[in-house]
Amino acid sequence: MGLFSKLFKGPEIDMEKSRANAAKMRALFDQAVKDGDDYRLIFGYTEDVSRFNYGFVHGSKTKIGNLIVGWNEASETIVVVPTVPDLSGCGDPTYYRRPEILKAYRNKYPTDAFIIYPDRKGYIGINAYDWLEDEKLYVYVSQEEELAAFTDFFMNRFAKK
């Protein structure tokens, strides 16, 4: 491997830590959501912290709200559970059922986000990546396969204008 590829390869993914965090996410989600094991999960975050203020309540100084995002294809439902970066607890779930939402779409600018308008009063933007390096702000988790599955579900089964 040349120097260039070593420099620009990016950080190594710590699969042990990723699996441990995925297990914590699952436990919190299942605790907060009835029939939680019927949902697949990804980690996401939102900058709309007024809607999800769990981090502020628990002493976070960030403008980021960490989210455990679950989706169920059969019921066309997305459930968002606010959490904190160390996954020590979570807030109450919010349900987004496709027939009940006003619109949903994927926004590419200024950030790649999944946008859901439950009504005319507000929206949530869910940002999600394969993994995030800053563990003070985000949950460290590798989720490339799950994120691809969520993106497919959102674009083909959930999004509506």
Side-chain angles (χ1 to χ4, degrees):
M1 183 183 298
L3 179 60
F4 181 81
S5 55
K6 278 184 187 174
L7 288 173
F8 293 98
K9 183 177 174 216
E12 288 294 317
I13 295 173
D14 182 339
M15 289 309 294
E16 189 173 320
K17 183 180 281 188
S18 177
R19 280 191 290 275
N21 283 340
K24 285 182 192 175
M25 282 172 40
R26 171 55 66 190
L28 284 174
F29 189 85
D30 289 353
Q31 173 187 321
V33 176
K34 185 179 184 207
D35 300 324
D37 57 344
D38 291 345
Y39 292 82
R40 293 176 74 175
L41 301 181
I42 58 168
F43 165 75
Y45 71 91
T46 186
E47 294 173 5
D48 183 11
V49 291
S50 61
R51 192 170 179 85
F52 293 98
N53 62 1
Y54 185 78
F56 289 134
V57 172
H58 287 76
S60 172
K61 302 278 192 275
T62 70
K63 299 272 190 207
I64 300 292
N66 286 269
L67 309 171
I68 302 170
V69 180
W71 77 99
N72 180 301
E73 292 193 30
S75 66
E76 294 186 324
T77 302
I78 293 173
V79 182
V80 176
V81 178
T83 188
V84 287
D86 66 1
L87 296 170
S88 60
C90 65
D92 294 328
T94 301
Y95 292 79
Y96 299 98
R97 295 173 182 89
R98 189 178 188 280
E100 299 168 3
I101 62 167
L102 187 63
K103 66 181 173 177
Y105 60 92
R106 189 169 182 189
N107 187 36
K108 290 289 196 180
Y109 182 81
T111 61
D112 187 3
F114 303 95
I115 310 295
I116 302 171
Y117 284 85
D119 51 45
R120 287 185 173 15
K121 295 179 189 147
Y123 72 94
I124 177 163
I126 300 168
N127 298 274
Y129 299 96
D130 176 31
W131 63 273
L132 293 156
E133 191 175 356
D134 187 347
E135 294 178 67
K136 292 181 190 88
L137 289 181
Y138 308 106
V139 174
Y140 181 96
V141 63
S142 177
Q143 58 185 10
E144 185 175 357
E145 191 176 307
E146 289 300 291
L147 182 54
F150 176 76
T151 301
D152 182 64
F153 163 75
F154 189 91
M155 297 305 295
N156 295 310
R157 305 268 315 272
F158 195 83
K160 68 180 187 178
K161 298 261 178 181

